[in-house]
Amino acid sequence: MTARLKKTRKLRGHVSAGHGRVGKHRKHSGGRGNAGGQHHHRINFDKFHPGYFGKVGMRQFHVTKQRSYSPTVNIERIWSLVSEQTRSKYADAKPDGKVPVIDVVRAGYYKVLGKGSLPKQPVIVKAKFFSREAEQKIKAVGGACVLVA
């Protein structure tokens, strides 16, 4: 911005330049940044940022990711884990005859969830975990759920 358009041009001759005589225009009178959040700026923090200070929950020492690692797959995607050939080969299989086995652990999934629907074709599904709904839907089409360690 050019000098002739600046506010100071209008304020020539006005001693405090719009910043008041009593309070004075000083550099960082309240402290820099979030200073004083628990002291002189407490009202602002309590009013607009409740819960900013303090802790929540329990500490967990030595957090390791493998403990909670459990990739999931829905039953609507289970048949995509085997080839189309396998599906057509067992398409007319009887529930007491030969049935395809789908090992989701080999495909990199641990848990089978119950979203979607299965074709009316019996199947044996191997996984580490099954949701209740997934187990019901697999058994409804004449299949079986096998738990794998």
Side-chain angles (χ1 to χ4, degrees):
M1 186 188 267
T2 53
R4 67 189 176 81
L5 299 174
K6 292 198 179 198
K7 192 178 179 184
T8 35
R9 302 315 309 156
K10 282 223 194 282
L11 294 172
R12 283 294 181 219
H14 300 281
V15 176
S16 311
H19 291 293
R21 282 177 185 275
V22 180
K24 295 184 192 63
H25 184 57
R26 296 277 160 83
K27 293 276 172 92
H28 299 279
S29 53
R32 291 176 189 243
N34 288 337
Q38 291 181 303
H39 307 284
H40 56 285
H41 290 155
R42 169 165 262 167
I43 288 173
N44 179 288
F45 273 75
D46 288 351
K47 187 173 181 182
F48 298 110
H49 311 286
Y52 180 81
F53 295 106
K55 298 175 181 176
V56 172
M58 289 166 31
R59 292 181 65 190
Q60 188 178 354
F61 305 109
H62 193 65
V63 177
T64 51
K65 285 184 184 167
Q66 91 275 5
R67 196 172 302 177
S68 60
Y69 180 78
S70 183
T72 59
V73 63
N74 285 307
I75 56 169
E76 64 185 4
R77 284 200 49 231
I78 268 186
W79 277 104
S80 68
L81 302 178
V82 291
S83 64
E84 194 58 45
Q85 271 180 313
T86 311
R87 171 123 188 248
S88 55
K89 181 181 172 188
Y90 293 104
D92 52 345
K94 313 277 185 288
D96 55 338
K98 275 197 171 179
V99 169
V101 176
I102 301 175
D103 191 354
V104 297
V105 180
R106 231 178 77 203
Y109 300 103
Y110 284 7
K111 185 168 185 173
V112 179
L113 302 178
K115 183 182 172 222
S117 59
L118 278 172
K120 300 271 188 285
Q121 187 176 344
V123 61
I124 296 170
V125 183
K126 288 183 169 185
K128 291 189 177 197
F129 310 101
F130 291 92
S131 72
R132 191 177 66 243
E133 207 174 339
E135 196 169 356
Q136 288 169 355
K137 289 182 180 179
I138 291 168
K139 287 179 178 172
V141 295
C145 301
V146 178
L147 291 172
V148 180

